[in-house]
């Protein structure tokens, strides 16, 4: 088992990572001084996989529990579903110190987190991430949100959880596409801050994606290394105005690719394309070595992630890339890699260079 502490003054909390940790839920809640009642928020699919068991574990540990399910899918990360949760919380007689246990991927974590932040002006929140993406990213750092009016994560709050429990065993049931979604972010962490992590993934890519998965020891190490980086960024920059921005490597072009493809291209795949675009921009600026870019594209391709765009209109990707971004004098802000293991915020990337790179990244 691995432990990380996020030092944020009164909002400090722990992340525990290991195999079979859901079994320890009663003990973990007691350590936080929580007792009596707990509410589990999940979706029907995860309820069957882990929720019912969690409910029994809570009962065995002396908790009264209430399990609330939402339909599965990004489209349900909405104010309507938040309203539904408030209603169910009220039916469950939730009190100020009743913990909300967000059991699922990033959709459940973001939505249950938002409701926990606002119900009775804030009730305790325990993140129990069950996807690789949620374990390495979304469950950590306190960003909670719902989508609204066609805009992603537009209504939300910074609300740190009281504890994150990443039970590695839950990754055993993850479908291959969801493994890829998380793996793309894992590779991103390697490029931003951890060359050893990148090498670990390079050496073990078939054990992470192949038939022999899951390798729990390997996954524990991978999740730990990513969570440690995110924890450090969040400690330094809780509100995401500085170093935390580095987590957006590959996301500027990535989001544009997702949008222009009408979300046909999934997040992890789009981020992979975005990372290669950022690598190419940095290469052409004489910053990122060609050998590192080759290693990145090879690793993505061995993982089954794309490095090139196909079937999309580059001019629309360019338009979407500039959406919401400060563009001045034909220049845009980008996260760029310096080497594998170090990235930085570049304020003055020429839009013409971005366009050229996107054209060259076209199949
Ligand atoms: P998700 O929550 O939609 O989960 C993906 C799919 O996997 C779902 O169908 C889910 O039911 C299923 N699933 C979850 N755990 C499983 C398991 N153990 N076994 C089998 N199936 C399982 O997607 P996600 O990738 O986890 O999260 C994406 C969301 O996270 C987006 O809404 C995004 O905006 C958000 N996000 C938030 C942050 C943040 O900092 N808050 C960061 C990144 C992403
Ligand atoms: N996923 C980006 C962040 O938490 O800042």
């Amino acid at each position: 088992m691995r432990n990380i502490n996020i030092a944020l003054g009164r909002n400090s909390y722990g992340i525990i990572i290991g195999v079979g940790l859901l079994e320890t839920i009663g003990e973990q809640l007691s350590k936080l001084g929580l007792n009596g009642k707990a509410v589990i928020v999940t979706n029907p699919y995860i309820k069957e996989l882990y929720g019912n068991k969690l409910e029994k574990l809570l009962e065995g540990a002396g908790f009264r529990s209430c399990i609330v399910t939402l339909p599965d899918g990004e489209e349900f990360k909405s104010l309507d579903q938040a309203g539904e949760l408030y209603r169910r919380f009220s039916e469950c007689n939730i009190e100020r110190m009743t913990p909300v246990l967000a059991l699922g991927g990033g959709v459940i974590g973001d939505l249950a987190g938002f409701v926990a932040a606002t119900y009775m002006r804030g009730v305790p929140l325990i993140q129990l991430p069950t996807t690789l993406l949620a374990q390495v990213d979304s469950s950590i750092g306190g960003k909670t949100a719902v989508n609204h009016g066609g805009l992603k994560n537009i209504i939300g709050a910074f609300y740190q959880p009281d504890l994150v429990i990443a039970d590695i065993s839950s990754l055993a049931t993850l479908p291959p596409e969801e493994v890829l979604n998380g793996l793309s972010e894992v590779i991103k962490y390697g490029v931003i801050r951890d060359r050893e992590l990148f090498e670990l993934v390079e050496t073990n890519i078939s054990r992470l994606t192949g038939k022999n998965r899951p390798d729990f020891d390997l996954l524990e190490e991978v999740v730990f290394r990513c969570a440690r980086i995110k924890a450090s960024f969040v400690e330094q920059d809780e509100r995401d105005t500085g170093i935390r921005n580095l987590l957006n490597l590959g996301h500027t072009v990535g989001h544009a690719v997702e949008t222009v493809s009408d979300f046909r291209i999934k997040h992890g795949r789009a981020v992979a394309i975005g990372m290669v675009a950022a690598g190419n921009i940095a290469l052409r600026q004489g910053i990122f070595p060609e050998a590192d870019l080759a290693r990145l594209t090879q690793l993505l391709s061995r993982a089954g992630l794309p490095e090139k765009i196909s079937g999309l209109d580059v001019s629309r990707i360019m338009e979407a890339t500039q959406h919401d971004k400060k563009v001045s004098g034909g220049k845009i802000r980008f996260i760029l890699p310096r080497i594998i293991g170090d990235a930085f915020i570049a304020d003055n990337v020429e839009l013409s260079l971005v366009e050229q790179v996107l054209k060259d990244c076209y199949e």
Side-chain angles (χ1 to χ4, degrees):
M1 186 178 88
R2 310 297 191 90
N3 278 286
I4 296 168
N5 186 52
I6 303 205
L8 289 171
R10 289 173 55 231
N11 294 331
S12 300
Y13 57 100
I15 305 169
I16 52 177
I17 301 158
V19 176
L21 287 181
L22 284 183
E23 311 272 343
T24 68
I25 187 72
E27 186 191 319
Q28 305 298 345
L29 294 181
S30 299
K31 274 194 211 157
L32 293 169
L34 300 166
N35 49 49
K37 196 188 294 174
V39 59
I40 303 166
V41 179
T42 190
N43 71 38
Y45 180 52
I46 316 245
K47 178 176 184 277
E48 287 307 309
L49 286 173
Y50 307 107
N52 294 331
K53 182 176 157 202
L54 185 66
E55 201 177 17
K56 286 204 178 72
L57 285 164
L58 284 166
E59 278 162 20
F63 282 82
R64 275 167 292 130
S65 64
C66 185
I67 187 156
V68 179
T69 58
L70 304 161
D72 189 8
E74 179 73 32
E75 65 273 36
F76 298 106
K77 207 174 98 174
S78 65
L79 270 184
D80 277 356
Q81 290 300 325
E84 182 60 19
L85 274 188
Y86 295 134
R87 197 180 64 72
R88 295 295 312 277
F89 280 18
S90 167
E91 277 175 10
C92 292
N93 294 318
I94 289 198
E95 293 156 15
R96 288 287 298 278
M97 286 311 286
T98 305
V100 172
L101 314 187
L103 177 71
V107 167
I108 290 290
D110 280 13
L111 175 54
F114 175 70
V115 170
T118 45
Y119 193 74
M120 297 178 126
R121 300 195 187 89
V123 293
L125 170 66
I126 313 294
Q127 289 280 5
L128 303 175
T130 61
T131 61
L132 183 56
L133 180 132
Q135 294 193 352
V136 300
D137 188 357
S138 61
S139 64
I140 305 164
K143 282 188 184 174
T144 72
V146 295
N147 306 324
H148 191 62
L151 298 170
K152 207 168 146 60
N153 297 332
I154 194 70
I155 300 175
F158 281 95
Y159 189 68
Q160 300 295 342
D162 294 271
L163 179 67
V164 179
I165 304 177
D167 187 337
I168 297 295
S169 16
S170 64
L171 302 180
T173 51
L174 216 53
E177 190 62 32
E178 297 306 333
V179 174
L180 279 192
N181 260 336
L183 204 52
S184 181
E185 302 290 347
V186 168
I187 294 170
K188 180 196 77 179
Y189 279 106
V191 176
I192 297 172
R193 269 297 177 275
D194 190 346
R195 198 173 174 94
E196 271 181 30
L197 168 64
F198 188 92
E199 286 166 359
L200 185 73
V201 176
E202 251 179 347
T203 313
N204 294 289
I205 191 67
S206 55
R207 288 163 72 206
L208 289 164
T209 55
K211 289 200 180 68
N212 293 336
R213 77 180 179 92
D215 179 328
F216 287 149
D217 288 344
L218 176 62
L219 281 168
E220 183 176 308
E221 178 68 17
V222 163
V223 172
F224 171 70
R225 280 178 173 269
C226 297
R228 188 172 58 178
I229 297 168
K230 178 136 188 194
S232 145
F233 286 175
V234 171
E235 273 181 358
Q236 295 171 67
D237 176 24
E238 187 181 359
R239 294 283 165 145
D240 199 10
T241 56
I243 192 170
R244 188 168 172 172
N245 287 184
L246 291 181
L247 295 171
N248 289 332
L249 174 72
H251 283 61
T252 306
V253 166
H255 283 151
V257 166
E258 270 184 286
T259 308
V260 173
S261 75
D262 285 329
F263 297 90
R264 194 173 38 79
I265 300 182
K266 299 279 173 221
H267 183 73
R269 293 178 184 273
V271 167
I273 293 167
M275 278 194 282
V276 174
N280 267 295
I281 292 168
L283 171 74
R284 285 172 210 204
Q285 291 193 332
I287 298 163
F288 193 46
E290 197 158 6
D292 277 19
L293 180 59
R295 271 179 83 174
L296 173 60
T297 52
Q298 272 160 27
L299 179 57
L300 294 172
S301 132
R302 286 175 62 217
L305 287 161
E307 346 116 32
K308 296 207 166 215
I309 320 161
S310 61
L312 299 177
D313 183 345
V314 168
S315 61
R316 286 190 59 209
I317 299 176
M318 269 311 283
E319 238 172 71
T321 296
Q322 292 165 69
H323 186 74
D324 277 351
K325 299 275 171 328
K326 216 172 87 192
V327 177
S328 80
K331 293 183 174 158
I332 185 170
R333 181 178 235 231
F334 247 84
I335 312 302
L336 297 180
R338 205 176 265 122
I339 52 166
I340 287 172
D342 186 24
F344 69 104
I345 302 168
D347 274 314
N348 288 314
V349 175
E350 300 275 354
L351 281 171
S352 55
L353 174 58
V354 178
E355 185 164 19
Q356 193 51 54
V357 161
L358 288 179
K359 284 181 178 155
D360 295 347
C361 283
Y362 206 86
E363 251 172 351

